[in-house]
Amino acid sequence: MNDDQINNPSHYAEGRLVQPIDAIEDWKLGFNLGNVVKYVSRAGRKGNCPVSDLKKAAWYLEREIKMHKKYEALVQHGSDLHDEVIRYYGETLDRYS
């Protein structure tokens, strides 16, 4: 496979039918969950040890969980906060409301 590090990097594309970026965009995952998919999909494929990429994936997943917990707590305080919360968190949480 031609290893084009910009458009088709081997650590994402080699041996795959779907590149992670295509799945992330199709599933509309947003920044944090998109990075989870990215780092899990390349774990052990860019360098020999998957631990660093798996830790990065866990870090982004934890951020996403914290964001949802904050969102849930704010929404529980009253529906009048819903619009303010959506403005603050943007489209990432809009798809869950």
Side-chain angles (χ1 to χ4, degrees):
M1 170 177 273
N2 180 14
D3 189 17
D4 175 352
Q5 289 298 306
I6 303 299
N7 298 306
N8 202 26
S10 63
H11 54 274
Y12 292 123
E14 189 174 326
R16 304 261 172 92
L17 297 176
V18 177
Q19 285 201 41
I21 189 70
D22 296 327
I24 292 164
E25 289 174 349
D26 183 57
W27 300 341
K28 298 174 179 41
L29 291 181
F31 186 77
N32 289 330
L33 293 179
N35 276 308
V36 171
V37 169
K38 176 181 81 170
Y39 284 115
V40 167
S41 72
R42 80 176 203 187
R45 296 172 64 99
K46 186 176 183 182
N48 293 330
C49 182
V51 174
S52 178
D53 282 333
L54 295 174
K55 285 181 177 182
K56 290 176 187 176
W59 187 85
Y60 280 105
L61 184 57
E62 187 59 35
R63 283 185 69 88
E64 184 76 7
I65 290 168
K66 286 178 184 177
M67 185 173 61
H68 283 282
K69 286 181 178 180
K70 283 182 185 179
Y71 174 78
E72 289 169 2
L74 288 171
V75 169
Q76 285 177 358
H77 287 29
S79 61
D80 58 318
L81 288 176
H82 184 265
D83 290 339
E84 183 177 332
V85 170
I86 292 299
R87 274 195 305 277
Y88 180 76
Y89 288 110
E91 293 179 9
T92 300
L93 289 173
D94 194 27
R95 67 178 182 260
Y96 297 110
S97 58

